[in-house]
Amino acid sequence: MDKLELKHIAPYLPYGLKVQYIHTGEVGIIRNLVDIDDYYTIKIGIDYKDSEHIWMFKPILRPLSSLKNDIVIDGLKFNPFLRLYNLFLIEVSENLEVEVNMNNIMEGYCVVTQLISWHFDVFGLIDRGLAVESTKLED
């Protein structure tokens, strides 16, 4: 059984990762990593409530398939696909793949880091049922 792990959410934490509680549907923002309890379960501080176990929520992420759709971050509306091209002057294929090899590994890392800061699902969590698609919540 696939499960959400700290390695899946840690890269998003500096960027105000929103999460949705599995049982209530309530949305909050991860504020900190609180503890690892006696059973080695990660506990997360969401908003300013008591800490919760990692399995109690799903991160809210944008699917990579929406990379060509305009998004709004901090009041600024832009097209992430075009922004990536302008920021890194790299070619992104029509199917949203960036070819990474030893010659351009730094550019690949920068692209992934930028996608994470915009809350795109770079780990395939939505398809595995471990994350909520942000566009589904905006309906």
Side-chain angles (χ1 to χ4, degrees):
M1 175 78 180
D2 220 0
K3 64 179 185 172
L4 188 66
E5 297 179 49
L6 182 59
K7 67 182 180 183
H8 298 129
I9 62 169
Y12 296 98
L13 296 181
Y15 308 107
L17 180 62
K18 288 184 180 180
V19 294
Q20 182 179 40
Y21 284 91
I22 292 172
H23 297 293
T24 66
E26 185 182 357
V27 173
I29 296 175
I30 295 178
R31 299 295 178 191
N32 59 1
L33 296 176
V34 176
D35 196 8
I36 298 178
D37 67 15
D38 294 338
Y39 302 101
Y40 299 101
T41 302
I42 305 296
K43 294 184 91 174
I44 307 284
I46 299 174
D47 288 331
Y48 299 102
K49 301 175 185 174
D50 292 334
S51 61
E52 304 286 358
H53 290 279
I54 194 170
W55 53 264
M56 297 176 75
F57 63 86
K58 292 182 178 183
I60 300 171
L61 300 171
R62 292 182 172 92
L64 285 176
S65 61
S66 69
L67 194 56
K68 291 187 175 181
N69 300 342
D70 287 349
I71 62 175
V72 177
I73 296 181
D74 296 330
L76 178 65
K77 183 176 180 178
F78 61 93
N79 182 294
F81 189 81
L82 296 176
R83 177 68 62 91
L84 287 173
Y85 178 78
N86 290 333
L87 284 174
F88 304 110
L89 296 175
I90 59 170
E91 292 294 326
V92 181
S93 70
E94 198 58 31
N95 60 356
L96 308 177
E97 292 179 353
V98 178
E99 185 178 323
V100 178
N101 59 41
M102 291 310 285
N103 294 333
N104 65 1
I105 193 79
M106 193 60 193
E107 287 88 354
Y109 173 78
C110 291
V111 168
V112 170
T113 301
Q114 190 62 64
L115 290 172
I116 287 170
S117 75
W118 294 334
H119 296 160
F120 277 95
D121 180 15
V122 300
F123 299 115
L125 300 176
I126 295 170
D127 291 340
R128 292 165 37 204
L130 301 176
V132 176
E133 186 175 325
S134 63
T135 56
K136 302 281 186 202
L137 297 178
E138 297 169 355
D139 292 336

